[in-house]
Amino acid sequence: MTPLPTDRSTDPSRVRYRKEGRVAYVTLDRPDVLNAMDLRMHTELAEIWDDFESDESIWAGVLTGAGDSAFSVGQDLKELVARVDGGECPSSFGSRGKPGWPRLTERFDLSKPVIARVNGYALGGGFELALACDIIVAAENATFALPEARLGLIPGAGGVFRLARQLPFRTALGHLMTGRRLSSHRALQLGLVNDVVAADELDDCVGGWIDDILRCAPLSVRAVKEAATASVTMPLERAFTANYVWEDRRMHSQDAREGPLAFVEKRPPVWTGS
């Protein structure tokens, strides 16, 4: 892993990470700068996602931003200017070779479901983080945008690619080329987010999604996520015959036997993830 760009002993942590039962909560924690992401934050996040994926006691995650104003406004532009002035080479798509690689936006094989809890601004890289999650729950005051073109930049953390896949193409292109903002309700109309609720109902709504996920067999959830994600650009015939690692595990798991058995015995299933 790329060394930390700053000293942990003197620089406050950028991310809060806690586990409650089967759920991990990841909070971008720079509310004073609207949770802008610097290199230190990316490095911390890489360690967290490694732990999230490897901890078999955790079945789902929630990603959010500290405070009431922003999920994240994306890249820390003050840090970017300092890096460019220091001679850093220009970059384009992806984060390979940079602190925190692979970032969530490039963890294409992350098997566990992640819910984006969005309150306030989700701009630039913050929006790209949300787009990389599996479910998005937004407060009514949430605002989404990829304004990079207005800054001479490009949504290089996958925003160009994901938005064009997750919205009607012409709609996506319009927002990508202009940096225009999307309200939470417009995002819901377009199918970009799963739920929009009042800010004081956000946690309850996210909790409802988590409860529903945890009612399902964890291997089934992972198999569904993998198959849906991997096959979305495949011809249908190929999708049926492709190899899916998590589906193979689910098919031969004890949970695959437990579900039908519990139904027949008229009792709640007891999932083990094995």
Side-chain angles (χ1 to χ4, degrees):
M1 181 176 292
T2 305
L4 286 172
T6 50
D7 182 1
R8 285 181 185 270
S9 64
T10 59
D11 203 24
S13 175
R14 302 293 201 263
V15 187
R16 285 186 272 127
Y17 182 45
R18 64 184 173 88
K19 301 175 184 179
E20 291 185 8
R22 295 291 191 184
V23 185
Y25 293 87
V26 181
T27 303
L28 310 179
D29 195 18
R30 300 184 75 202
D32 54 321
V33 289
L34 301 178
N35 301 314
M37 294 179 284
D38 61 2
L39 297 182
R40 170 65 181 272
M41 180 181 282
H42 284 304
T43 301
E44 291 183 15
L45 283 168
E47 296 172 358
I48 286 168
W49 295 126
D50 285 345
D51 181 80
F52 170 73
E53 181 73 351
S54 65
D55 187 344
E56 286 302 319
S57 71
I58 296 299
W59 293 356
V62 175
L63 174 63
T64 193
D68 298 325
S69 300
F71 178 76
S72 172
V73 293
Q75 185 170 199
D76 186 328
L77 295 180
K78 288 184 178 179
E79 183 188 63
L80 175 62
V81 169
R83 283 160 35 206
V84 171
D85 287 347
E88 182 173 304
C89 294
S91 62
S92 184
F93 295 112
S95 60
R96 185 180 291 273
K98 301 176 185 178
W101 185 85
R103 298 173 184 174
L104 180 63
T105 50
E106 293 169 85
R107 290 186 179 241
F108 305 114
D109 58 354
L110 188 72
S111 67
K112 299 175 183 178
V114 180
I115 297 175
R117 174 194 177 277
V118 180
N119 195 14
Y121 296 114
L123 308 179
F127 190 12
E128 290 175 300
L129 272 185
L131 290 171
C133 293
D134 305 295
I135 291 170
I136 301 177
V137 179
E140 289 178 330
N141 70 338
T143 301
F144 303 91
L146 294 171
E148 282 85 348
R150 299 185 180 192
L151 301 169
L153 305 173
I154 196 168
V160 167
F161 311 127
R162 285 192 170 95
L163 200 67
R165 285 164 167 78
Q166 296 180 29
L167 286 182
F169 180 76
R170 199 172 303 281
T171 302
L173 197 59
H175 283 279
L176 287 164
M177 293 193 304
T178 65
R180 285 187 178 185
R181 296 185 176 189
L182 275 166
S183 70
S184 60
H185 288 290
R186 180 60 175 153
L188 182 65
Q189 289 175 344
L190 292 168
L192 194 64
V193 304
N194 298 83
D195 260 324
V196 173
V197 296
D200 60 1
E201 298 174 6
L202 191 56
D203 288 330
D204 287 342
C205 188
V206 170
W209 281 98
I210 286 292
D211 289 344
D212 284 344
I213 288 172
L214 296 183
R215 288 189 185 99
C216 300
L219 293 181
S220 292
V221 173
R222 296 180 202 181
V224 165
K225 173 178 175 175
E226 176 193 35
T229 303
S231 69
V232 70
T233 58
M234 293 181 189
L236 190 56
E237 182 179 1
R238 182 183 168 197
F240 271 88
T241 59
N243 179 57
Y244 305 107
V245 174
W246 284 100
E247 169 53 11
D248 188 62
R249 289 185 59 175
R250 180 214 61 80
M251 182 173 58
H252 297 100
S253 69
Q254 180 60 35
D255 282 354
R257 176 171 167 17
E258 167 66 8
L261 182 63
F263 180 84
V264 169
E265 295 179 350
K266 299 181 180 180
R267 61 173 175 81
V270 178
W271 307 124
T272 63
S274 61

